[in-house]
Amino acid sequence: MTATPLAWRWLRFAEFDLQGLYEVLALRQQVFILEQGPYLDADGLDQHSWHLLGRDAAGTLLAYLRVVDPGHKYDEPSIGRVVTVASQRGTGLGHALMAEAVAGLARHWPGRANRISAQAHLQRYYGRHGYAAVGEPYLEDGIPHIEMLRPPDA
């Protein structure tokens, strides 16, 4: 199965309309709360982030992530809340989402490294996008994670 072609849109928090914000929060809750277990998704960082939304031709939200501004989570900008709808997993859509995110990082913060807190079992996935593990694994919300860093122009 191949990924559905998407239209990508970058938004700041204040640019969301109510329907768009609802759709993002519903998708994040489906994956991060129902599939992975309870934790506080509304962590106060959305207001300090760029949000990347991927919609199909019908306007359905299929992929999302946010990029937290430098200085709010890490010194570097930080990708997080990376999510695709279950029906699109395994199609390459997640890689398309990350490729768009890396391109956006280069536009918004040229020449800057970026850091992520990755679920440990996804190290290889993020490694395909230039990230390398730094430090030791740790538990975040009951799930093993590891910090990963992508150097500028990786």
Side-chain angles (χ1 to χ4, degrees):
M1 182 166 45
T2 59
T4 301
L6 299 186
W8 300 108
R9 184 165 181 212
W10 287 91
L11 297 171
R12 293 300 291 187
F13 187 77
E15 295 175 300
F16 274 104
D17 62 20
L18 291 177
Q19 182 63 34
L21 181 59
Y22 180 86
E23 291 169 343
V24 164
L25 295 176
L27 177 58
R28 284 176 26 180
Q29 288 176 23
Q30 176 63 44
V31 175
F32 299 123
I33 307 301
L34 297 178
E35 291 180 24
Q36 296 181 2
Y39 76 100
L40 184 61
D41 179 45
D43 59 3
L45 295 174
D46 288 318
Q47 296 90 326
H48 308 285
S49 301
W50 280 100
H51 301 267
L52 176 58
L53 291 76
R55 296 181 181 277
D56 67 11
T60 304
L61 181 65
L62 298 182
Y64 166 87
L65 60 72
R66 73 176 181 192
V67 180
V68 179
D69 295 335
H72 289 277
K73 182 169 183 169
Y74 299 114
D75 290 339
E76 304 87 359
S78 178
I79 293 174
R81 301 298 197 265
V82 178
V83 60
T84 60
V85 296
S87 65
Q88 292 293 307
R89 294 185 198 144
T91 66
L93 182 60
H95 289 294
L97 175 64
M98 282 301 298
E100 179 64 27
V102 167
L105 283 161
R107 285 190 306 274
H108 294 296
W109 296 282
R112 296 263 329 243
N114 60 84
R115 186 177 301 267
I116 61 175
S117 175
Q119 291 183 10
H121 74 278
L122 295 173
Q123 285 183 66
R124 202 172 100 206
Y125 168 80
Y126 289 112
R128 288 180 57 182
H129 298 280
Y131 291 87
V134 293
E136 296 298 319
Y138 55 92
L139 282 180
E140 184 176 309
D141 301 315
I143 299 171
H145 280 69
I146 190 158
E147 278 189 29
M148 299 184 80
L149 186 69
R150 186 178 193 279
D153 306 317

